[in-house]
């Protein structure tokens, strides 16, 4: 008995092999798949021609399933996807997947049909990964129609749901594609309903090879892409109709309701997905990216999703709880590490920044949310002005430490932390400085181009000798004795690092024009009040 490819070569192209011969020949290929490493392109061409482009050898569900399984393996071995990454192949594979699965829902051959469908979708997804240029082929209307139809019919089949979501995620890369998906399929609802299936069922109650969390993550990735391009489409139309530039990062009220199911699913995902070793789970990261696209104020239906009437703080507390856990872990683990800024940038930036942006929006748009979270950060009667803000117990001190990071880009952790603290303090810059200390706030104020209030400067002059007055530079009561004691407790290396930090800070303040004064570090060095340590000291 010869293998399938030898049999095809031995007969005339127009001749058909027996069904049993096809099945046995393909089974032999599967058993010896490694021996075809040098013939992959030729074999792929034969399989596509006889099973995808035509039905020449599509004699039985078993034969087709075997052929697609082989094609899936070979497709992964070609660095650029080979012929599978062509428009004809992608269109044909999706057509075959649709025909096999949707026409066999009540057939005894359903198991073969499911395998054919999943292998065809896998071939398409792999081709798009290996050759991104071919993603445009899968974004054509008939291909999108097929993928959406299969996802809608997949039910709790985790394999098909995952693969459909991945194909949608990879093909959703233009405004036009997003518009078609929303207008013709209401894809946001299809994704939301499918996500709900896997959010509310454990792995035992689903079928397929992927876990519920894996499927949920892939669906939310597709939903995130849809939201991103749908926003561009909606705001482009708005700009055109209003004849002016409108820039926003959220759905306008009249469009937000159309995506309300995605908002609900994303918030429910945040409520249910636990942290993984102080990191957001993959599904949670996607969920945060989705909720960032929604206002928390209007319309009322959206507001009620954010702040449910029967449990107003449910989502607010969840988001803050996730944020708090990561902040405590980062600051407590790395606070004594000089590499804290790089640790944040490399490992936690992508998790902390989106969470804080959502919290800033909630706090800025809802006074009651601001009050609720204010007392979580600054518990009543817990602000001890005898202690430096960064050394106080609790969440507030952790945030001050994050804000002090020298990385001050507009979306850096330190800058967004400052935004959150300022929002919690009612955007009162004077209270902000008194609470966190100007020395801690200066870098943030430079990044946001915020000027120092004149009365703060005057307060420094007038209150330095007053008992019980707060030094706005440090955020602590005036106490020269405490300062001397703190300096006495510092090592020479710590003093040098602090001097360097102050030097850089004052140079930045002078250059930006926020203050115009002599750099105290330079002045101290010139006066001989301290000298630089040798490397060997």
């Amino acid at each position: 008995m010869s293998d399938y490819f030898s049999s095809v070569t031995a007969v005339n192209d127009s001749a058909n092999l027996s069904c049993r011969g096809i099945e046995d020949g393909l089974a032999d290929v599967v058993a010896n798949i490694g021996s075809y490493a040098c013939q992959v392109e030729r074999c792929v061409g034969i399989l596509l021609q006889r099973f995808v482009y035509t039905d020449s050898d599509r004699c039985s569900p078993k034969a087709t399933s075997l052929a697609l399984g082989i094609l899936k393996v070979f497709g992964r071995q070609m660095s650029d996807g080979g012929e599978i990454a062509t428009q004809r192949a992608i269109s044909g594979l999706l057509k075959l997947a649709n025909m096999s699965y949707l026409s066999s829902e009540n057939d005894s051959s359903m198991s073969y049909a499911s395998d054919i469908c999943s292998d065809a979708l896998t071939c398409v997804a792999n081709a798009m990964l290996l050759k991104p240029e071919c993603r445009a082929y899968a974004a054509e209307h008939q291909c999108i129609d097929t993928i959406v139809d299969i996802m809608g019919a997949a039910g709790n089949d985790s394999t098909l749901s995952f693969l459909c979501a991945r194909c949608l995620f990879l093909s959703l890369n233009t405004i036009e594609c997003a518009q078609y998906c929303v207008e013709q399929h209401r894809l946001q609802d299809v994704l939301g309903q499918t996500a709900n299936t896997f959010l509310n069922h454990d792995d035992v109650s689903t079928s397929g090879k992927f876990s519920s969390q894996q499927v949920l993550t892939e669906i939310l990735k597709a939903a995130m892409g849809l939201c991103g391009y749908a926003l561009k489409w909606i705001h482009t139309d708005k700009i055109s109709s209003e004849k002016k530039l409108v820039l926003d990062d959220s759905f306008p009220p009249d469009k937000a309701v159309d995506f309300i199911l995605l908002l609900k699913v994303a918030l429910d995902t945040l409520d249910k997905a636990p942290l993984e070793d102080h990191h957001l789970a993959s599904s949670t990261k996607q969920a945060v990216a989705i909720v960032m696209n929604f206002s928390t104020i209007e319309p009322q239906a959206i507001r009620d999703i954010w702040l449910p009437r029967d449990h107003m703080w449910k989502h607010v507390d969840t988001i803050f709880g996730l944020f708090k856990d990561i902040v405590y872990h980062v600051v407590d683990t790395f606070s004594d590490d000089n590499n804290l800024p790089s640790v944040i940038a490399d490992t936690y930036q992508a998790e902390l920044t989106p969470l804080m942006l959502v919290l800033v929006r909630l706090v800025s748009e809802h006074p009651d949310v601001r009050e609720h979270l204010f007392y979580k950060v600054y518990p009543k009667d817990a602000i001890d002005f005898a202690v430096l803000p960064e050394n106080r117990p609790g969440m507030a001190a952790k945030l001050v430490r994050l804000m002090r990071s020298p990385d001050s880009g507009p979306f850096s952790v330190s800058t967004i932390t400052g935004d959150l603290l300022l929002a919690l303090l009612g955007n009162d810059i004077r209270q902000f400085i008194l609470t966190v200390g100007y020395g801690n706030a200066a870098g943030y104020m430079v990044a946001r181009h915020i000027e120092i209030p004149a009365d703060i400067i005057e307060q420094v002059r007038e209150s330095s000798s007053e008992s019980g007055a707060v030094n706005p530079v440090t955020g602590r009561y005036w106490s020269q004795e405490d300062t001397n004691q703190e300096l006495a407790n510092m090592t020479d290396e710590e003093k040098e690092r602090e001097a360097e930090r102050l030097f850089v800070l004052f140079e930045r303040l002078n250059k930006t024009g926020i203050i115009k004064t002599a750099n105290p570090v330079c002045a101290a060095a010139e006066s001989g009040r301290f000298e630089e340590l040798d490397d060997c000291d």
Side-chain angles (χ1 to χ4, degrees):
M1 167 65 198
S2 60
D3 66 69
Y4 171 75
F5 296 113
S6 298
S7 299
V8 169
T9 305
V11 300
N12 187 286
D13 285 344
S14 62
N16 288 323
L17 301 170
S18 70
C19 189
R20 178 65 180 272
I22 292 172
E23 291 177 357
D24 289 347
L26 289 169
D28 188 68
V29 173
V30 172
N32 300 281
I33 195 82
S35 63
Y36 295 89
C38 298
Q39 309 175 52
V40 168
E41 290 188 17
R42 181 182 75 86
C43 295
V44 165
I46 292 172
L47 291 171
L48 287 173
Q49 181 61 41
R50 302 180 74 91
F51 285 91
V52 179
Y53 305 153
T54 70
D55 61 357
S56 300
D57 290 350
R58 212 186 295 160
C59 63
S60 69
K62 179 181 178 180
T64 307
S65 177
L66 287 167
L68 268 290
I70 296 167
L71 197 62
K72 176 181 68 175
V73 174
F74 285 162
R76 291 169 176 160
Q77 297 177 14
M78 296 182 289
S79 59
D80 61 352
E83 190 178 343
I84 298 176
T86 63
Q87 183 176 17
R88 186 184 184 192
I90 287 176
S91 177
L93 284 164
L94 290 173
K95 183 178 179 181
L96 178 58
N98 185 61
M99 180 176 61
S100 299
Y101 187 69
L102 297 183
S103 64
S104 304
E105 285 189 273
N106 299 312
D107 197 287
S108 60
S109 61
M110 185 61 190
S111 61
Y112 282 127
S114 180
D115 289 341
I116 293 168
C117 186
S118 63
D119 287 343
L121 289 170
T122 300
C123 288
V124 172
N126 287 341
M128 287 193 281
L129 287 170
L130 293 169
K131 189 175 182 180
E133 297 91 330
C134 75
R135 295 177 185 181
Y137 307 145
E140 293 178 354
H141 292 177
Q142 67 270 24
C143 293
I144 291 293
D145 295 344
T146 296
I147 298 169
V148 174
D149 287 346
I150 294 173
M151 174 172 270
N156 66 349
D157 188 316
S158 68
T159 303
L160 293 183
S161 297
F162 178 93
L163 292 170
C164 285
R166 172 153 293 185
C167 287
L168 287 169
F169 170 67
L170 293 172
S171 58
L172 270 166
N173 51 25
T174 66
I175 293 174
E176 293 73 21
C177 184
Q179 182 177 357
Y180 178 80
C181 289
V182 171
E183 292 182 338
Q184 298 301 316
H185 292 287
R186 285 196 63 85
L187 181 58
Q188 65 271 31
D189 290 342
V190 176
L191 292 171
Q193 290 161 4
T194 308
N196 259 329
T197 297
F198 293 92
L199 181 64
N200 296 314
H201 291 81
D202 57 28
D203 295 334
V204 176
S205 60
T206 59
S207 61
K209 65 181 181 180
F210 295 98
S211 70
S212 294
Q213 275 300 305
Q214 287 175 311
V215 181
L216 184 60
T217 299
E218 207 66 24
I219 293 170
L220 293 178
K221 281 168 61 178
M224 179 188 67
L226 178 67
C227 288
Y229 283 105
L231 273 171
K232 293 180 181 179
W233 156 49
I234 290 168
H235 286 302
T236 298
D237 282 354
K238 192 174 181 182
I239 292 169
S240 301
S241 63
E242 297 181 0
K243 304 299 182 184
K244 63 180 181 179
L245 182 63
V246 178
L247 295 176
D248 197 358
D249 61 350
S250 62
F251 287 107
D254 59 326
K255 298 292 185 182
V257 175
D258 289 339
F259 292 79
I260 194 169
L261 183 55
L262 284 184
L263 173 62
K264 185 177 186 307
V265 167
L267 288 172
D268 287 344
T269 299
L270 294 177
D271 290 334
K272 293 187 177 183
L275 288 171
E276 299 175 350
D277 192 23
H278 304 288
H279 284 280
L280 297 179
S282 297
S283 59
T284 309
K285 293 177 184 177
Q286 310 306 325
V288 175
I290 291 171
V291 303
M292 287 173 63
N293 296 308
F294 292 85
S295 166
T296 68
I297 300 178
E298 54 182 353
Q300 186 63 45
I302 293 292
R303 184 189 182 109
D304 289 343
I305 295 294
W306 277 103
L307 305 172
R309 299 187 183 188
D310 60 341
H311 193 343
M312 185 174 182
W313 307 122
K314 176 182 178 182
H315 302 311
V316 173
D317 286 347
T318 292
I319 295 169
F320 182 79
L322 294 170
F323 172 62
K324 180 179 178 181
D325 185 287
I326 298 173
V327 168
Y328 265 73
H329 172 70
V330 171
V331 176
D332 290 346
T333 305
F334 303 104
S335 61
D336 295 328
D337 190 337
N338 292 333
N339 295 319
L340 175 59
S342 62
V343 168
I344 294 173
D346 295 342
T347 310
Y348 294 96
Q349 171 92 23
E351 299 179 32
L352 286 172
T353 297
L355 287 171
M356 282 194 287
L357 288 171
V358 173
L359 289 171
V360 169
R361 170 168 278 174
L362 282 163
V363 168
S364 300
E365 294 180 346
H366 297 279
D368 45 357
V369 174
R370 182 178 77 82
E371 181 179 3
H372 178 72
L373 291 183
F374 176 84
Y375 288 115
K376 286 183 176 292
V377 176
Y378 293 103
K380 293 180 180 179
D381 303 321
I383 302 179
D384 184 359
F385 285 103
V387 180
L388 289 170
E390 63 269 29
N391 292 334
R392 295 169 189 159
M395 184 66 169
K398 313 290 186 188
L399 295 180
V400 171
R401 286 175 179 268
L402 285 183
M403 186 177 64
R404 291 179 59 177
S405 170
D407 180 14
S408 57
F411 292 102
S412 68
V413 168
S414 59
T415 301
I416 305 301
T417 302
D419 290 340
L420 177 58
L421 285 170
L422 184 57
L424 285 170
L425 292 164
N427 292 306
D428 183 334
I429 192 63
R430 185 178 185 280
Q431 187 60 48
F432 174 68
I433 291 173
L434 289 174
T435 303
V436 306
Y438 180 70
N440 294 320
Y444 165 73
M445 294 173 67
V446 170
R448 288 293 190 229
H449 306 289
I450 300 173
E451 294 185 0
I452 307 171
D455 61 336
I456 287 287
I457 299 174
E458 186 62 29
Q459 180 177 336
V460 174
R461 296 193 185 103
E462 295 179 354
S463 63
S464 60
S465 61
E466 294 179 11
S467 175
V470 175
N471 180 352
V473 175
T474 64
R476 182 179 64 174
Y477 292 136
W478 285 97
S479 173
Q480 186 61 43
E481 180 180 350
D482 287 348
T483 302
N484 289 336
Q485 183 61 45
E486 182 180 339
L487 288 172
N489 291 336
M490 293 174 70
T491 66
D492 288 339
E493 279 190 354
E494 289 172 335
K495 291 175 183 177
E496 184 177 16
R497 282 200 300 270
E498 184 67 11
E500 289 174 355
R501 189 180 75 84
L502 291 172
F503 178 87
V504 172
L505 176 60
F506 271 87
E507 287 300 299
R508 288 172 61 193
L509 292 173
N510 274 304
K511 286 179 181 178
T512 55
I514 291 181
I515 64 170
K516 289 294 183 183
T517 186
N519 189 319
V521 180
C522 292
E526 291 170 0
S527 68
R529 291 200 298 273
F530 69 81
E531 59 183 14
E532 186 174 351
L533 294 173
D534 293 333
D535 291 340
C536 60
D537 287 345

